[in-house]
Amino acid sequence: MNSGRKNNAEQYLRMYRQMVRIRVFEDQANQLYLSAKMPGLTHMYSGQEAVAVGICEALTNEDRITSTHRGHGHCVAKGAEFKAMFCELLGKEEGYCRGKGGSMHIADQNHGNLGANAIVGGSTGIATGAALTSKLLGKGNVTVCFFGDGATAQGLWYEVMNMAALWKLPIIYACENNGYSEYTATAEIAAGAITARAEAFGIEAHRIDGQDVLKVNELAENLVSRARKGEGPFFVELETYRFSGHHVGDINREYYRSKDEEANWRLNRDPIKNFGDWLESQSIADADELVAIGNEVKASAEAAVAYALDAKFPDSSEVDMHVYVGVDHALPYIDGSSK
Amino acid sequence: MTREITHSQAVNEAIAEEMRRDERVILIGEDVAEAGTPFKVLSGLVEEFGTDRVIDTPIAEPGFMGMAIGAAMTGMRPIVDLMFGDFLFLVMDQLCNQAAKTHYMSGGKLKVPLVLRTNLGATRRSGAQHSQSLQALVAHIPGLKVALPSSAHDAKGLLKSAIRDDNPVVIFEDKLSYQDKAPVPEGEYIVPFGEANVVREGNDVTLVATSSMVQVCCEAASLLEANDISAEVIDPRTLVPLDERTIIESLKKTSRAVVVDEGHRNFGVTAEIASRISEKAFYHLDAPVVRMGAMDVPVPFSPALEDLTVPTPQAIAANAGRIFRGDLLHAI
Ligand SMILES: Cc1ncc(C[n+]2csc(CCOP(=O)(O)OP(=O)(O)O)c2C)c(N)n1
Ligand SMILES: [Mg+2]
């Protein structure tokens, strides 16, 4: 792997920590679901941490991302904090979106996260538009569009990829191929190679192991810096795996995915465990230090959950706020009585 | 013989019976085969009919919608499964510019016998993109028929009518009622389009309710009954065609109406029905027609907010009580 690794120790430990934060966040979210404290359902990112962290570590606060229904990982990796995230999952006023969005719509404006999305493939246009802004304003920032293998079936992506290529937009399309869309294997829904789809537009395409955070990060650093110079767009397919069901309620899933397959990924291709082993083998951290990171993150997540459980719901008067910019309350505005 | 089955089983039976009856009927959509959809409504169909007729697609709604139209124009009778009503926005061009207009534009030479099955309904804590009730959008487009079953019985009967219809039909199921049971005959039956159901008879006020709101209005009627107000509940069952006559006849008796539908109130289904009542029963009315629907905001995630956006039995009863007493007419 990388030379100069001692110099990078701080960065490596931060990446490790960020991956642990995602895993711990999801474990807590799952507990909230199982104990019936969370409204609705949520899609866990566990298993895919190296993708979000490896890529987001190559970005600055001014760079943008768009995210998906499986979006907690992207959100954490881009700099979000636990309290406001858990508050959002529980529909509380202090959530990132004041409880109005929920798990599938978390957005974190301060860190350039333009939002998760509950329409599969729905963010490809938004991401490409953000890249157009970057180009027009000439600020040199980059947008990363995260989406799943399932989203590659949506036509919108091909329309915007064509324009991104024509206009050399600073965007990286990051396809997290976790082998499934809902209850269907990728092989059954994707004809040909996914990289070839981007190549058809003359876009430089890569396919890499999405479980190796250093490899992901190295590629991301390279593509981001080139995109800043106007050499984009780029496409990356990251081979990864979701350790849990499609959502927290998807418990009996052997009809579409075998227990052996799941066990094998968990045992041999856990991005956090493998990176931890590497950190130890390189004497960057010892086992105790890694355990300490885990414990500390867990304690902070538990504190955030406790905080969020106690936090206030939004006041009922908020229900018709934020429908229109510049309008305090939509209902009297719509019927004209607020004039 | 009648037994009780769930709304979900009723849909499943309707499709299975029609697929046995007519080989041209096929099912197409995301995770419709082995998974039987996320709602498990279609479980077992692929085992009986095979993957040629129960077709799993990639996540490409405009694509498979368009293909269903082409297949329908050339001899098949597709049932398209659109996992959430909110995804209508993805297929609107194919549905409204193509399917709805083909028969007309071809001077009656081509036809598009397909069914688009989808759903509606909030309060499932699913957020703004998985909770909408968009029936008004498609009811606005000439060429599309629109059905809104409110019970297992009607879900089966209306779906069978839809499958046998030679036109594109959009049928909305209430996703919160898939597990609700109702008496359903063992034998073959259909529910024809354009025939409203008088769910409950009454004399003082008419509650016109669709889909998810029928049950809510029945509860409102019980609340009103406790106050000696007799409410009639009418479920139109199809928006296009609309059984205006049954509604108007009821109004002639009660002279007051509250119209309730889970779509947004603004420019919605209730606006259309209320204005038909005003046009056709004006001289019988003792009070303005009241409309109730989903609040005109995107559906919020937070339970504390989401519950405020959907009409409740209490709110409906309160409005019905007001027009019955002649109170506060200007404030409604
Ligand atoms: C337009 C649209 N169609 C269908 C769905 C339902 N749905 C939610 S997630 C999902 C699978 C997405 O698969 P993929 O893109 O691979 O992401 P993953 O869940 O594997 O992270 C589907 C079909 C949706 N939300 N939006
Ligand atoms: Mg996937």
Side-chain angles (χ1 to χ4, degrees):
Chain A
M1 291 192 186
N2 214 314
S3 59
R5 61 181 85 94
K6 288 289 175 207
N7 300 339
N8 291 333
E10 203 181 310
Q11 192 202 349
Y12 293 154
L13 287 173
R14 193 176 62 232
M15 287 203 261
Y16 180 80
R17 203 186 137 81
Q18 285 290 68
M19 290 202 290
V20 171
R21 287 182 74 228
I22 295 172
R23 182 75 53 91
V24 168
F25 183 92
E26 297 298 41
D27 289 344
Q28 295 288 328
N30 194 34
Q31 280 310 313
L32 285 168
Y33 170 76
L34 293 174
S35 57
K37 288 178 182 145
M38 188 175 60
L41 292 170
T42 190
H43 307 82
M44 293 201 291
Y45 194 73
S46 311
Q48 305 184 196
E49 293 89 347
V51 175
V53 172
I55 291 177
C56 289
E57 282 295 309
L59 301 176
T60 68
N61 240 358
E62 282 64 48
D63 294 324
R64 268 62 174 257
I65 63 166
T66 61
S67 170
T68 68
H69 59 286
R70 197 175 304 289
H72 304 158
H74 311 131
C75 194
V76 169
K78 197 69 177 57
E81 51 109 352
F82 281 170
K83 257 193 203 172
M85 282 186 72
F86 281 118
C87 281
E88 192 58 38
L89 258 63
L90 297 179
K92 301 300 178 75
E93 183 190 275
E94 287 178 72
Y96 272 111
C97 308
R98 302 191 69 78
K100 282 183 160 157
S103 162
M104 283 202 290
H105 301 288
I106 292 189
D108 172 12
Q109 174 80 4
N110 290 337
H111 296 101
N113 178 352
L114 296 177
N117 208 305
I119 299 300
V120 169
S123 72
T124 55
I126 294 169
T128 311
L132 177 63
T133 298
S134 300
K135 184 177 177 187
L136 295 177
L137 298 183
K139 293 238 173 84
N141 47 354
V142 169
T143 302
V144 175
C145 178
F146 288 103
F147 55 96
D149 46 287
T152 64
Q154 290 284 18
L156 177 64
W157 181 43
Y158 300 92
E159 301 186 13
V160 298
M161 204 162 37
N162 182 39
M163 289 184 268
L166 283 171
W167 305 335
K168 297 198 183 330
L169 299 184
I171 181 162
I172 298 168
Y173 298 104
C175 175
E176 299 184 67
N177 187 346
N178 61 9
Y180 296 88
S181 48
E182 271 187 357
Y183 320 110
T184 300
T186 309
E188 293 170 38
I189 56 101
I194 293 176
T195 44
R197 318 255 181 112
E199 282 160 356
F201 295 97
I203 294 175
E204 181 180 315
H206 300 262
R207 182 164 196 272
I208 62 163
D209 177 4
Q211 303 308 83
D212 183 335
V213 71
L214 290 183
K215 271 200 199 133
V216 174
N217 183 248
E218 197 185 350
L219 179 63
E221 295 279 2
N222 173 306
L223 299 183
V224 168
S225 69
R226 286 167 59 204
R228 286 198 206 292
K229 290 185 282 185
E231 294 172 26
F234 298 105
F235 171 76
V236 188
E237 178 185 352
L238 303 111
E239 195 197 346
T240 185
Y241 201 76
R242 60 164 157 80
F243 283 178
S244 312
H246 171 59
H247 55 62
V248 283
D250 175 23
I251 310 284
N252 298 321
R253 47 182 183 268
E254 275 175 276
Y255 72 93
Y256 74 87
R257 199 170 92 163
S258 75
K259 285 208 164 131
D260 282 352
E261 179 186 301
E262 294 191 2
N264 183 41
W265 277 86
R266 277 180 181 272
L267 202 65
N268 300 315
R269 300 192 66 186
D270 183 329
I272 300 180
K273 183 174 171 303
N274 291 352
F275 189 48
D277 289 348
W278 183 81
L279 291 173
E280 285 183 44
S281 75
Q282 302 296 310
S283 306
I284 294 167
D286 62 27
D288 289 347
E289 286 170 284
L290 298 184
V291 170
I293 292 176
N295 288 340
E296 184 221 323
V297 168
K298 186 154 186 252
S300 79
E302 282 168 355
V305 167
Y307 182 89
L309 284 168
D310 275 351
K312 275 196 312 180
F313 281 111
D315 188 77
S316 60
S317 65
E318 288 215 25
V319 70
D320 71 336
M321 294 170 72
H322 316 118
V323 181
Y324 300 98
V325 177
V327 171
D328 286 344
H329 289 280
L331 299 187
Y333 176 78
I334 288 171
D335 70 21
S337 64
S338 68
K339 281 225 208 77
Chain B
M1 271 284 289
T2 293
R3 72 263 136 90
E4 295 228 318
I5 60 172
T6 63
H7 195 132
S8 167
Q9 288 168 313
V11 170
N12 192 300
E13 279 189 9
I15 294 174
E17 288 174 16
E18 293 305 304
M19 288 183 79
R20 280 177 212 133
R21 184 175 168 269
D22 185 343
E23 282 192 342
R24 297 168 301 171
V25 178
I26 57 171
L27 252 177
I28 185 163
E30 293 156 18
D31 276 326
V32 294
E34 282 79 7
T37 78
F39 297 101
K40 303 295 169 203
V41 174
L42 305 181
S43 298
L45 294 175
V46 73
E47 284 77 5
E48 178 173 353
F49 300 103
T51 49
D52 275 357
R53 292 181 69 198
V54 180
I55 305 170
D56 263 348
T57 65
I59 309 170
E61 288 85 359
F64 65 76
M65 183 74 225
M67 287 172 66
I69 296 168
M73 287 167 66
T74 49
M76 307 306 287
R77 303 185 75 86
I79 304 171
V80 177
D81 185 284
L82 194 63
M83 196 182 295
F84 282 86
D86 309 70
F87 306 160
L88 269 173
F89 289 118
L90 284 96
V91 305
M92 282 303 255
D93 172 63
Q94 295 299 307
L95 181 67
C96 301
N97 273 330
Q98 310 299 343
K101 297 174 173 49
T102 292
H103 188 62
Y104 189 81
M105 293 190 302
S106 68
K109 302 262 166 60
L110 294 167
K111 62 180 184 180
V112 186
L114 73 77
V115 179
L116 177 58
R117 267 191 61 242
T118 190
N119 52 41
L120 57 73
T123 68
R124 216 168 146 263
R125 319 308 182 209
S126 303
Q129 295 172 346
H130 280 67
S131 307
Q132 297 168 91
S133 300
L134 298 174
Q135 53 275 25
L137 265 77
V138 285
H140 187 63
I141 304 302
L144 301 178
K145 298 188 183 180
V146 183
L148 295 173
S150 67
S151 68
H153 176 276
D154 291 356
K156 182 169 179 183
L158 288 171
L159 183 51
K160 285 172 73 95
S161 288
I163 296 168
R164 293 180 194 185
D165 203 295
D166 272 346
N167 295 282
V169 177
V170 187
I171 185 160
F172 290 87
E173 293 155 13
D174 170 16
K175 65 172 97 77
L176 280 102
S177 79
Y178 276 129
Q179 297 317 317
D180 292 356
K181 289 191 166 181
V184 173
E186 292 272 7
E188 163 81 26
Y189 72 97
I190 61 160
V191 174
F193 283 10
E195 286 188 15
N197 182 22
V198 181
V199 182
R200 171 174 172 141
E201 289 190 26
N203 298 310
D204 298 328
V205 57
T206 301
L207 307 178
V208 183
T210 63
S211 183
S212 53
M213 291 295 112
V214 173
Q215 190 50 40
V216 176
C217 281
C218 287
E219 287 167 40
S222 299
L223 295 174
L224 289 164
E225 191 174 30
N227 288 312
D228 289 329
I229 301 173
S230 155
E232 179 147 300
V233 179
I234 295 186
D235 172 6
R237 298 200 283 201
T238 53
L239 296 179
V240 182
L242 182 68
D243 180 1
E244 204 177 80
R245 233 190 55 213
T246 300
I247 297 171
I248 302 302
E249 287 307 313
S250 175
L251 259 295
K252 287 183 181 165
K253 179 167 63 168
T254 63
S255 307
R256 302 171 189 90
V258 181
V259 188
V260 195
D261 169 86
E262 206 182 327
H264 292 301
R265 207 178 79 119
N266 215 17
F267 296 89
V269 166
T270 57
E272 177 66 27
I273 295 176
S275 91
R276 300 245 203 143
I277 293 170
S278 303
E279 283 168 6
K280 304 274 167 75
F282 182 72
Y283 290 106
H284 299 276
L285 287 178
D286 284 345
V289 181
V290 176
R291 289 177 294 138
M292 297 178 74
M295 190 182 278
D296 290 317
V297 301
V299 179
F301 167 73
S302 181
L305 300 181
E306 188 179 25
D307 287 341
L308 303 173
T309 65
V310 178
T312 59
Q314 290 72 20
I316 295 165
N319 274 341
R322 271 179 212 138
I323 54 170
F324 179 71
R325 290 186 302 270
D327 290 356
L328 292 172
L329 289 183
H330 58 282
I332 288 168

